[in-house]
Amino acid sequence: MTVPETTAALEGATGPEALRPHAEDAFADELKALAAADDRPRPARWRLSPWAVATYLQGGTLPDGTVITPKYVGPRRLIEVAVTTLATDRALLLLGVPGTAKTWVSEHLAAAVSGDSTLLVQGTAGTPEEAVRYGWNYARLLAQGPSREALVPSPLMRAMSEGMTARVEELTRIPADVQDSLITILSEKTLPIPELGQEVQAVRGFNVIATANDRDRGVNELSSALRRRFNTVVLPLPATPDAEVDIVSRRVDQIGRSLDLPAAPEGLSEIRRVVTVFRELRDGVTTDGRTKLKSPSGTLSTAEAISVVTNGLALAAHFGDGILRPADVAAGILGAVVRDPAADRVVWQEYLETVVRERNGWKDFYRACREASV
């Protein structure tokens, strides 16, 4: 490997070479077209007006014929409330069960508002306070003592200084004492640096988008003081099977193109079956409402359905004839449903024998699932 190749590898891929481009890169043409057509008032340091941001998220056709693809398929009012919140001095909390596109919406909102979705704090049980406030370059700290040059700003600190949108993912996974370090930032719009006797004041345009769910283990409840600093928008699961099929189809197509997978010309029927299985087990009742079902321990979210279909598409492309078939998705469904080997396997076998086996046109799907379950 040559030196230039090594340097490029260390710096990482950009543009079309990136495995998963940031939203502002993947949809740069749409954002540029929206900015050119957008003649509405824009809040300070926003790249687009609130109307254009909502259009970017929900999709539409511009006067020049440019088609803006939907990034979020759901109630427009939810997106309008979220965008309006960011135009005020209130932070935005996107709340919902796993797989309801909270992270996806957060990223695209930041890309449309600030043109940069990378000012991100990823919440985990081990997230330190430095990730929210600031850290230190210890070599400089030891050599020079406390100084602004030795200070390492967090994504939030950078967003405050530059009037940008910062993101905090999985807020409820962050320890409670670290969560509460956000209170001064969100209420006073300032970040004290007591070691230097200074502070960083947020400039206009700064705001925070946080995501959280209360279904997973390891959740730390938000204090009432912190929760009051957010406007909360709850992102629901897709309201109808058709809406969920549309979401899965769109995302699978996007992911498939990024991975150079061939399109699945006859894959819609299998996508609909995956969505039907997930919705019925998730809701605890069949689509016709006639049969009550036991639900497994997993969430069976839309995001998991997308993963199952994408994996099935890869199987069809590399080990099949390129057409998505029941055998390509059966193992993925089994892995998504059976998380607890004892209890969930019973739920799955009962569903197969009482529902799938008796459903017209599902014989091939039943056989594939039976073979995958052996």
Side-chain angles (χ1 to χ4, degrees):
M1 180 180 288
T2 65
V3 173
E5 288 174 338
T6 304
T7 302
L10 291 172
E11 290 177 351
T14 59
E17 291 301 315
L19 181 61
R20 202 279 198 184
H22 299 302
E24 58 271 20
D25 298 324
F27 296 93
D29 291 342
E30 291 187 16
L31 290 167
K32 183 178 179 181
L34 272 166
D38 185 15
D39 58 358
R40 305 193 182 203
R42 306 180 187 184
R45 293 183 176 81
W46 278 39
R47 298 294 186 91
L48 301 171
S49 69
W51 170 85
V53 174
T55 301
Y56 171 72
L57 266 293
Q58 292 270 274
T61 302
L62 301 182
D64 65 359
T66 301
V67 175
I68 306 300
T69 57
K71 316 304 179 301
Y72 176 73
V73 178
R76 183 177 180 88
R77 197 60 174 173
L78 287 180
I79 297 301
E80 290 175 344
V81 171
V83 173
T84 302
T85 295
L86 294 176
T88 70
D89 64 348
R90 298 276 289 181
L92 172 65
L93 176 62
L94 298 175
L95 192 65
V97 299
T100 47
K102 299 182 298 297
T103 297
W104 182 251
V105 170
S106 167
E107 179 184 358
H108 283 282
L109 282 172
V113 170
S114 297
D116 187 351
S117 62
T118 64
L119 297 177
L120 170 68
V121 176
Q122 179 60 58
T124 69
T127 299
E129 189 172 341
E130 289 81 0
V132 175
R133 293 168 55 82
Y134 53 84
W136 296 97
N137 179 325
Y138 287 104
R140 283 194 170 186
L141 186 65
L142 292 173
Q144 305 171 2
S147 66
R148 288 301 289 262
E149 291 72 25
L151 188 144
V152 179
S154 70
L156 277 157
M157 188 176 183
R158 283 186 53 202
M160 294 175 72
S161 301
E162 300 171 21
M164 304 279 277
T165 303
R167 300 165 54 210
V168 181
E169 290 295 318
E170 301 291 354
L171 178 59
T172 50
R173 286 188 172 277
I174 298 176
D177 57 332
V178 179
Q179 286 180 14
D180 285 344
S181 64
L182 281 168
I183 292 176
T184 301
I185 295 173
L186 298 182
S187 60
E188 304 298 328
K189 309 302 180 189
T190 186
L191 177 56
I193 310 175
E195 297 91 339
L196 303 180
Q198 300 176 9
E199 65 179 12
V200 173
Q201 289 190 316
V203 300
R204 294 183 64 188
F206 166 71
N207 215 326
V208 175
I209 306 172
T211 66
N213 74 75
D214 54 7
R215 285 283 187 91
D216 288 346
R217 296 175 183 176
V219 166
N220 299 299
E221 288 293 332
L222 302 183
S223 66
S224 58
L226 181 57
R227 188 176 285 271
R228 286 198 307 270
R229 269 66 183 185
F230 287 98
N231 273 355
T232 301
V233 172
V234 178
L235 297 184
L237 290 164
T240 66
D242 287 343
E244 191 160 5
V245 169
D246 184 35
I247 293 169
V248 174
S249 300
R250 288 178 185 275
R251 285 294 295 135
V252 167
D253 181 60
Q254 291 171 347
I255 295 170
R257 280 189 276 113
S258 72
L259 298 176
D260 295 327
L261 295 175
E266 300 175 23
L268 188 59
S269 60
E270 296 310 322
I271 291 175
R272 188 169 293 278
R273 272 200 271 225
V274 172
V275 168
T276 299
V277 170
F278 276 33
R279 289 182 72 90
E280 288 184 332
L281 288 173
R282 196 167 65 208
D283 296 342
V285 64
T286 53
T287 303
D288 58 14
R290 295 180 179 178
T291 306
K292 291 191 177 297
L293 305 168
K294 296 176 183 177
S295 294
S297 59
T299 57
L300 299 182
S301 66
T302 307
E304 290 170 290
I306 292 168
S307 177
V308 167
V309 175
T310 301
N311 188 68
L313 185 59
L315 281 172
H318 298 303
F319 299 101
D321 57 5
I323 297 175
L324 192 64
R325 302 186 186 279
D328 299 318
V329 297
I333 292 176
L334 177 67
V337 174
V338 181
R339 298 296 177 85
D340 182 326
D344 290 344
R345 187 170 292 276
V346 173
V347 171
W348 176 236
Q349 292 295 340
E350 184 176 310
Y351 177 73
L352 277 182
E353 299 303 326
T354 61
V355 178
V356 176
R357 184 179 183 180
E358 305 301 323
R359 187 164 278 165
N360 290 333
W362 283 43
K363 294 299 182 185
D364 54 346
F365 183 77
Y366 169 74
R367 287 193 295 269
C369 290
R370 285 281 298 171
E371 291 175 5
S373 300
V374 173

